[in-house]
Amino acid sequence: MEGIVGVFRELDSTVGAIEAVKKLKAGNIRVYSPAPRHELEHLLHSGPSVVRRYTLIGGLLGATFGYWIPIWISDYWPLVVGGKVVPSWVPYTIISFELMVLIGSLATVLGLFIVSRIPRITMTVGYDERFSDANFGVWVECPPDRQSDVSDALKRHGAVEVRGER
Amino acid sequence: MATVARPRVHTGPNIPEANIQLPSVETYGQVTDEIRRTLNPTKAWLAGLLLAIAALLIGLGAWMWQVYMGLGVAGYSPPVMWGVYIVTFVFWVGIGHAGTLISAILYLFRAGFRTTIYRCAEAMTVFAIMTAGLFPILHLGRPWKFFWLIPYPNWRLIWPQFKSPLVWDVFAILTYLTVSATFLYRGLLPDFAALRDSERNPLRKKIYGVLSFGWRNSDIEWRHFARAYLFLAAFSTPLVLSVHSTVSFDFAMANTPGWHATLFAPYFVAGAIFSGIGMVFTIIIPIRRWFNLKHYVTLNHLDAAAKLCLFTALIVATAYITEFFIGWYGGSEIEHSFWYNRVFGQWWWAAWIMLTCNTILPLSLFWQKLRRNTTWLFTLSLFINLGMWFERFVIFDPSLSHEFEPWQWTRYAPTYIDWAILLGSFGWFSMWFLLFIKNFPVVAIAEIKEIIPPPLRVAHAVEGIEVTGMHLEFEPETPGERD
């Protein structure tokens, strides 16, 4: 992985730089910001997050498991309580609901970790500690022959620091 | 993500709007620095921690004595076999509910004032459920057998009875604890990254590095983070309603006077949220003062939270009136006798503490001056905590001591063991909370950065850049926002 990273102090400078770099078509762009910003998300034309699939699958599995385990246990040890049928689905809906929430939530966080590619052991290429404090960052993954164009574009739009990394 | 509006001209007083403006918070760097500064330990914090540990040790000692001597030392005698422990269990579960309301439900409603207080409220939720979870175990004669309630394959070939509300409770509470802790940790990820990057102490830097899981604030991470936030909030919202409903079923499913009512689920949920908001005030008002966070947790935010408190107090009052009305008008002699005994008879003192603290005193919040008076809010919050503990006492023990047969009627009085364990539970809760506030940010760093205006090269908003939030012109005369 090789490219150029630019450090910006302002949001509008960052937006201008991203637009300019996109026109160059030099390579993949990654943007860092201290807080989520709609402007950056819209600019990068990011699609819908796939975390929702993990949530859906986790929730369905949880709900199914929540019905299955009490029904199976009721049949395994049939005990009539209050004259109700042995596998009574109404009280088991509470178990099903709780497990839907539990497994759905855990699956959501698992999905967040998987699609965001964390945990991450190393933090080196393209990242700067200022990005979690007050600065914005634009990392452009590009071959050596395009790096000067990218670097010029970032500087022209107000980057306070531009450097190559690999 | 940031909710967005163009800057607009200030047209009138902003006091009643309780909007999210933080006029004294201007830059992203300021947010990181000021919130990071709250992590420096102080002597007062250490003294508080030692006090909490001392209270915990008193409770621990009382519990060990109870294990040795048996449950009789806790004042139990038939037919009153549920006392202070179940009261305190429901009290702590209820405390947790405001945290989820503020962090999840108000997030879905896009209520901006939650942003500065939700971290404290979320942590409060997790520690309150951890505290509540101890009480069913404390209530066991053989506490080392508590895991028998968990369904797992075992040599006894016995499974829990899934039609029992007590088993529903196990699932509800464990789910609530896990989801609340997950929700809290997910929100902390970007803040851990900010602390990791600004930390100079190598050991703390390493610890924050591990805790942050290598979070880098990239566009991909933020996109999925926002989506996960939404889904977790969507899961937590019905969960918070279900948990206290399930707790209420422990009572409502029993054919006991005063318990067997369909009102119980909404009654419990409203009471839980009300008591939780009371505890949020108890916690957040000292924190904003001691940590110099008055310009983050502004009077506007407290004003809005006080309105929420007033609203839930009115729901609780409606539930009391409904319950009393049905007791008086319902035509059941048993219920009528029980209701009279509760309010005017044997337990009148407890019932009137409950009614005064939970329905009469909160009416003061109709006055804006009192909603914006932190001394009154803090005092009121203590009364609410007291009143809500007594609410549970009034629900549980009068019923058990005044059932159908007059020969069963009896008295119940908590013993010193009960009070010591109650004190220990406050020590346990306070210990975890105090450890939390000195190791983790009490205000969400990344979310505060979302609601303050972003740094711009051109002073005014330019095409394609949206200026966050309702940044009305600041009113210098608004009390408390600059101090």
Side-chain angles (χ1 to χ4, degrees):
Chain A
M1 188 185 281
E2 183 174 3
I4 296 285
V5 61
V7 181
F8 294 84
R9 290 213 177 98
E10 303 91 7
L11 178 63
D12 48 352
S13 310
T14 314
V15 168
I18 296 167
E19 283 172 341
V21 172
K22 276 172 73 178
K23 281 180 192 156
L24 289 175
K25 294 183 179 166
N28 290 333
I29 301 172
R30 171 79 25 94
V31 181
Y32 300 99
S33 60
R37 298 291 318 179
H38 282 304
E39 298 87 348
L40 301 174
E41 191 182 351
H42 294 160
L43 209 57
L44 296 167
H45 298 298
S46 312
S49 167
V50 292
V51 166
R52 65 187 69 201
R53 292 182 197 157
Y54 290 85
T55 308
L56 178 67
I57 292 167
L60 289 174
L61 281 176
T64 310
F65 187 68
Y67 273 121
W68 173 75
I69 189 164
I71 289 172
W72 178 80
I73 287 171
S74 301
D75 279 339
Y76 179 82
W77 188 269
L79 194 63
V80 177
V81 177
K84 302 288 190 299
V85 291
V86 171
S88 307
W89 67 271
V90 175
Y92 300 166
T93 301
I94 294 171
I95 307 292
S96 176
F97 171 79
E98 300 297 343
L99 289 185
M100 178 193 75
V101 171
L102 177 66
I103 299 176
S105 299
L106 294 176
T108 303
V109 175
L110 180 72
L112 168 67
F113 276 43
I114 290 172
V115 297
S116 302
R117 292 169 206 147
I118 55 176
R120 191 177 286 105
I121 307 298
T122 58
M123 314 268 306
T124 50
V125 181
Y127 183 71
D128 189 290
E129 288 189 345
R130 288 171 283 182
F131 298 157
S132 65
D133 181 20
N135 292 111
F136 298 87
V138 178
W139 159 256
V140 186
E141 193 180 337
C142 56
D145 58 318
R146 304 299 311 275
Q147 289 188 0
S148 62
D149 294 343
V150 172
S151 181
D152 289 344
L154 295 178
K155 283 177 187 162
R156 202 167 52 246
H157 284 87
V160 292
E161 184 183 329
V162 175
R163 62 173 188 263
E165 287 198 10
R166 56 183 304 161
Chain B
M1 290 235 178
T3 50
V4 167
R6 298 275 173 199
R8 54 183 188 177
V9 179
H10 176 223
T11 53
N14 65 17
I15 296 173
E17 293 185 17
N19 57 44
I20 58 174
Q21 65 169 336
L22 300 173
S24 300
V25 183
E26 289 161 359
T27 64
Y28 287 177
Q30 182 193 354
V31 177
T32 313
D33 290 344
E34 289 184 340
I35 296 175
R36 231 183 71 77
R37 217 172 289 147
T38 65
L39 303 180
N40 301 327
T42 60
K43 283 181 183 169
W45 171 80
L46 191 63
L49 183 65
L50 291 175
L51 205 63
I53 292 173
L56 172 62
L57 289 176
I58 291 171
L60 193 64
W63 180 55
M64 289 172 75
W65 182 246
Q66 178 193 285
V67 170
Y68 181 69
M69 295 296 291
L71 275 171
V73 295
Y76 295 109
S77 61
V80 184
M81 298 307 289
W82 279 7
V84 165
Y85 297 158
I86 195 78
V87 171
T88 314
F89 164 74
V90 179
F91 171 78
W92 281 114
V93 175
I95 292 295
H97 278 51
T100 317
L101 172 93
I102 290 169
S103 61
I105 301 179
L106 294 186
Y107 174 77
L108 294 180
F109 279 100
R110 299 291 188 259
F113 75 88
R114 66 174 276 286
T115 309
T116 53
I117 55 174
Y118 94 89
R119 174 65 53 74
C120 268
E122 242 175 32
M124 179 193 81
T125 295
V126 172
F127 301 134
I129 306 167
M130 279 168 55
T131 311
L134 297 176
F135 279 88
I137 299 171
L138 294 173
H139 203 166
L140 296 175
R142 292 180 293 164
W144 47 91
K145 303 283 190 193
F146 74 95
F147 58 89
W148 282 15
L149 277 170
I150 313 287
Y152 67 97
N154 58 76
W155 58 267
R156 302 184 305 277
L157 300 178
I158 292 175
W159 294 91
Q161 172 55 272
F162 282 96
K163 291 172 194 135
S164 161
L166 299 179
V167 174
W168 304 343
D169 229 11
V170 170
F171 277 80
I173 300 291
L174 288 179
T175 299
Y176 194 34
L177 176 62
T178 312
V179 173
S180 300
T182 307
F183 204 61
L184 174 67
Y185 197 87
R186 176 217 48 83
L188 279 165
L189 275 176
D191 291 359
F192 282 143
L195 294 175
R196 172 199 67 206
D197 293 343
S198 60
E199 184 59 61
R200 294 291 162 257
N201 179 314
L203 179 63
R204 286 175 74 94
K205 195 178 185 71
K206 190 88 181 164
I207 292 170
Y208 286 129
V210 172
L211 290 173
S212 71
F213 287 114
W215 183 270
R216 300 202 302 177
N217 291 345
S218 72
D219 55 295
I220 292 180
E221 287 169 350
W222 282 129
R223 186 159 58 93
H224 300 308
F225 179 88
R227 191 50 55 177
Y229 200 154
L230 180 70
F231 288 134
L232 283 175
F235 270 136
S236 299
T237 299
L239 177 66
V240 74
L241 303 179
S242 82
V243 170
H244 228 53
S245 300
T246 305
V247 170
S248 81
F249 294 160
D250 289 347
F251 310 96
M253 294 285 166
N255 191 14
T256 303
W259 287 3
H260 199 58
T262 49
L263 176 70
F264 257 41
Y267 172 21
F268 268 52
V269 171
I273 292 173
F274 174 60
S275 68
I277 294 171
M279 188 61 97
V280 168
F281 283 133
T282 310
I283 287 170
I284 205 79
I285 290 172
I287 282 182
R288 75 189 280 274
R289 185 188 172 106
W290 292 338
F291 288 181
N292 294 320
L293 293 175
K294 289 182 185 173
H295 52 308
Y296 285 87
V297 185
T298 68
L299 288 182
N300 278 352
H301 301 165
L302 294 179
D303 190 337
K307 285 177 187 165
L308 200 58
C309 183
L310 175 62
F311 177 64
T312 47
L314 294 176
I315 298 176
V316 168
T318 308
Y320 292 162
I321 292 167
T322 308
E323 198 185 19
F324 294 169
F325 176 77
I326 297 298
W328 168 71
Y329 188 69
S332 163
E333 185 57 38
I334 301 287
E335 287 286 344
H336 187 270
S337 159
F338 164 76
W339 164 77
Y340 189 87
N341 184 49
R342 182 197 267 184
V343 184
F344 299 111
Q346 186 182 4
W347 303 98
W348 68 271
W349 53 276
W352 286 98
I353 289 176
M354 171 190 94
L355 289 170
T356 308
C357 294
N358 299 344
T359 61
I360 298 170
L361 294 179
L363 296 179
S364 62
L365 297 177
F366 272 113
W367 281 270
Q368 189 183 69
K369 276 190 179 170
L370 291 177
R371 286 202 306 270
R372 303 179 76 80
N373 182 326
T374 51
T375 309
W376 172 245
L377 281 182
F378 182 74
T379 311
L380 178 65
S381 74
L382 298 179
F383 279 115
I384 292 173
N385 292 333
L386 178 73
M388 287 308 296
W389 191 88
F390 269 98
E391 181 201 281
R392 280 61 180 251
F393 186 85
V394 166
I395 290 173
F396 306 145
D397 292 306
S399 290
L400 291 173
S401 62
H402 199 275
E403 285 202 54
F404 298 99
E405 303 285 352
W407 62 266
Q408 284 185 313
W409 294 352
T410 184
R411 292 195 160 273
Y412 166 76
T415 66
Y416 69 95
I417 293 287
D418 290 299
W419 298 125
I421 287 182
L422 175 63
L423 177 70
S425 77
F426 277 93
W428 168 263
F429 173 82
S430 307
M431 180 189 76
W432 285 112
F433 197 83
L434 287 166
L435 287 171
F436 178 84
I437 61 176
K438 280 296 168 194
N439 289 289
F440 305 119
V442 288
V443 176
I445 298 173
E447 291 196 41
I448 296 292
K449 289 175 183 171
E450 268 190 80
I451 63 170
I452 64 172
L456 296 177
R457 196 178 194 182
V458 182
H460 56 85
V462 294
E463 193 57 39
I465 301 291
E466 297 160 322
V467 178
T468 310
M470 299 164 63
H471 293 286
L472 303 182
E473 192 177 322
F474 174 59
E475 289 177 279
E477 70 275 15
T478 304
E481 297 205 349
R482 282 270 190 218
D483 57 19

